Amino acid sequence: MNNISVTYECAPNIALIKYWGKSNEDLIIPLNGSISITLDTNVLCSRTTVVLIKSNSAKIYVTLNNVTQIIDNTDLTKNAGDLINKKRLFTMLDKVRQNCGLENPFEFEIRICSSNNFPTACGMASSASGFACLAKCLAKVFDYKGDVSELARLGSGSACRSCFGGFVKWNTGANSSESLSTVLFPAEHWPEMNIIALILEDEKKAVSSTHGMKDTVLTSKLLPQRVKLVEEERLSMMEQFIREKNFSQFAKLVMQDSNSFHAVCMDTYPPLFYLNDKSKEIIHFINEFNKIDCRVKVAYSFDAGPNCFLFVLDQDLNELMFLLKNVYFLNEDLCDKIGTNETKIFLEKLNFDRIDEQRKLLLINLAIKLSNQNKSTIIKYLIHSKIGSGPVLNNNNSLLDLDGIPKFV
Ligand code: PMV
């Protein structure tokens, strides 16, 4: 049999109703369900290639950031350097081998190579897109008969939602085979939606989500109430608002759920402070923008870090960008602050001349008011994305040759 090679590209996802807390640490089963939006792979994506080579050695080679390591299944409590959580990798491999179409799934050497099209310095988490890619590749090369989102979840919880495009729901589930994600609505359902990431900090977060949520489960008395609220009300409300394309209700709930997640972080002992003063300044900025017409036009959401994700419809995008430009990028070209080529094209297409003079005056006055409060330049990168359609099989852009040797190292 010839070597088998598969390459996938997957995008990160942003949770609209957030997951925080596990009922099972090893199997990564969440305490509450969550709903997310998948970003566009053309803007941000991880790319992973997996090559299976018939061999008696059954070795596993992992190449990340141009460093290759051979990973064995001894002492799974230790990670393979900084590269990968060994235990999670072997949980995924065990799962795939138990339920696959290959006659003897242990007779293969596995070569894995992964990279991101976005710099780690741009502050975007890559574990969701990276593990979704790995799950998609493993499922394909091993002819896996199970659910690919279960496989991705075993690598990193939120990765199960990056296995699909559009609006995705991850169901809590009573056990591993039930804790799966599914598409609620495809990307085409709401083409007017835009996602803007404002990268305020590009350093690694102080407390990882794995450790943070463990502490929350152990110490927060607020968490059970949040879990109940999400399960009993918020998931179905969010699904309804997306179905009806009711933006103002959608946006309000996105912000409330982000706030409630950070309240639970504060209620953790010792407390988890993921938001910083810059994040709070952006929250204030958005609230002021929403106040102008007494209409919720933009929503913010923050994950386990200070960086902000904005949701806005096409109709309000131009004014939002005009205000952002006048508060945060007054003396510089917006295009110098971008994270990707696609965002540059998006910014070049914006036309502030379409805003009438009276509105411009109103926005400039608000910009002056907001700028007076804090003159600092706080946004390091800006990334624009539409809703993504999900993973892309891209064997033409393989990172490994057919013998499993990295192509660009
Ligand atoms: O899957 P993890 O360990 O990256 O945790 C993700 C946690 C949040 O991003 C804060 C919320 C979510 O649902 O994505």
Side-chain angles (χ1 to χ4, degrees):
M1 191 177 116
N2 294 330
N3 297 346
I4 315 168
S5 170
V6 167
T7 300
Y8 265 101
E9 289 169 356
C10 295
N13 68 78
I14 311 298
L16 306 167
I17 299 291
K18 310 230 180 253
Y19 136 67
W20 195 252
K22 304 179 182 90
S23 62
N24 185 317
E25 282 289 328
D26 291 335
L27 296 174
I28 314 190
I29 298 183
L31 285 170
N32 62 265
S34 52
I35 294 178
S36 63
I37 209 167
T38 301
L39 302 186
D40 184 354
T41 47
N42 292 311
V43 176
L44 293 174
C45 77
S46 298
R47 181 183 297 157
T48 301
T49 299
V50 172
V51 177
L52 282 196
I53 303 170
K54 188 111 182 161
S55 151
N56 293 329
S57 82
K59 279 185 182 152
I60 297 162
Y61 293 75
V62 177
T63 306
L64 287 176
N65 308 325
N66 289 351
V67 179
T68 302
Q69 285 194 9
I70 301 179
I71 301 198
D72 57 36
N73 62 352
T74 56
D75 197 357
L76 292 182
T77 54
K78 285 212 185 94
N79 285 347
D82 257 356
L83 279 190
I84 196 156
N85 183 318
K86 272 188 6 175
K87 196 170 162 200
R88 291 190 177 174
L89 176 66
F90 278 95
T91 313
M92 287 173 84
L93 285 174
D94 287 347
K95 187 89 201 163
V96 89
R97 283 168 170 148
Q98 275 160 21
N99 188 11
C100 72
L102 299 185
E103 225 167 80
N104 191 345
F106 288 91
E107 269 182 359
F108 295 93
E109 205 170 275
I110 305 172
R111 306 245 177 168
I112 300 166
C113 183
S114 191
S115 72
N116 300 320
N117 79 341
F118 50 99
T120 12
C122 90
M124 291 290 301
S126 60
S127 70
S129 49
F131 276 106
C133 272
L134 181 58
K136 291 290 290 180
C137 289
L138 289 174
K140 187 93 176 161
V141 293
F142 278 96
D143 188 18
Y144 178 56
K145 306 295 182 195
D147 188 296
V148 73
S149 74
E150 181 181 6
L151 210 54
R153 192 201 73 230
L154 294 169
S156 167
S158 56
C160 69
R161 298 185 310 234
S162 275
C163 292
F164 304 102
F167 294 89
V168 180
K169 182 175 182 197
W170 172 15
N171 288 300
T172 322
N175 54 45
S176 180
S177 61
E178 280 181 15
S179 184
L180 308 176
S181 58
T182 51
V183 178
L184 280 183
F185 303 96
E188 309 80 65
H189 173 70
W190 213 344
E192 302 86 358
M193 182 71 80
N194 297 277
I195 303 112
I196 294 171
L198 301 179
I199 307 301
L200 313 175
E201 304 291 347
D202 46 20
E203 285 142 31
K204 229 180 145 198
K205 56 191 167 216
V207 184
S208 73
S209 49
T210 307
H211 288 111
M213 67 177 87
K214 224 187 213 168
D215 285 350
T216 305
V217 173
L218 287 174
T219 63
S220 169
K221 295 274 187 275
L222 205 56
L223 182 69
Q225 289 175 53
R226 170 176 159 75
V227 168
K228 192 166 180 285
L229 182 70
V230 166
E231 281 294 318
E232 290 178 5
E233 285 178 30
R234 288 199 167 157
L235 291 169
S236 55
M237 278 166 72
M238 181 55 81
E239 191 173 335
Q240 182 195 332
F241 297 151
I242 300 170
R243 178 181 300 108
E244 294 168 352
K245 300 214 276 179
N246 182 339
F247 184 82
S248 57
Q249 296 280 35
F250 160 88
K252 205 169 147 207
L253 188 55
V254 167
M255 293 187 275
Q256 284 175 320
D257 197 68
S258 173
N259 295 346
S260 134
F261 154 57
H262 288 281
V264 153
C265 289
M266 276 280 282
D267 190 49
T268 302
Y269 187 83
L272 300 163
F273 300 107
Y274 288 121
L275 303 181
N276 63 18
D277 287 347
K278 296 176 184 177
S279 321
K280 289 176 204 159
E281 192 185 317
I282 299 290
I283 293 176
H284 179 64
F285 171 95
I286 296 302
N287 283 334
E288 290 294 310
F289 180 67
N290 282 336
K291 265 203 260 172
I292 324 174
D293 301 311
C294 304
R295 180 167 69 84
V296 185
K297 297 175 286 186
V298 187
Y300 59 77
S301 185
F302 295 83
D303 280 343
N307 296 326
C308 180
F309 302 97
L310 302 180
F311 301 91
V312 56
L313 296 180
D314 287 341
Q315 64 189 66
D316 294 310
L317 185 61
N318 214 22
E319 288 199 0
L320 171 70
M321 294 307 296
F322 181 75
L323 189 65
L324 267 175
K325 158 99 184 133
N326 279 284
V327 176
Y328 295 112
F329 305 98
L330 200 52
N331 298 319
E332 46 189 336
D333 186 351
L334 258 178
C335 290
D336 291 341
K337 286 283 185 150
I338 49 126
T340 67
N341 270 342
E342 281 69 18
T343 303
K344 190 168 180 189
I345 296 165
F346 154 76
L347 291 172
E348 281 165 356
K349 275 203 266 176
L350 288 173
N351 184 358
F352 296 145
D353 292 340
R354 284 205 312 257
I355 306 171
D356 75 46
E357 289 309 313
Q358 234 177 334
R359 285 295 284 184
K360 257 190 192 156
L361 206 62
L362 186 88
L363 291 165
I364 287 172
N365 279 335
L366 177 57
I368 292 166
K369 184 177 140 196
L370 292 170
S371 308
N372 281 345
Q373 287 167 6
N374 193 336
K375 290 200 180 66
S376 63
T377 310
I378 63 169
I379 301 171
K380 291 194 170 152
Y381 293 94
L382 184 148
I383 297 162
H384 168 265
S385 176
K386 282 283 184 181
I387 308 178
S389 307
V392 177
L393 180 66
N394 191 351
N395 288 343
N396 290 334
N397 276 320
S398 167
L399 300 172
L400 299 168
D401 68 18
L402 263 180
D403 295 320
I405 308 297
K407 281 186 179 172
F408 305 114
V409 290

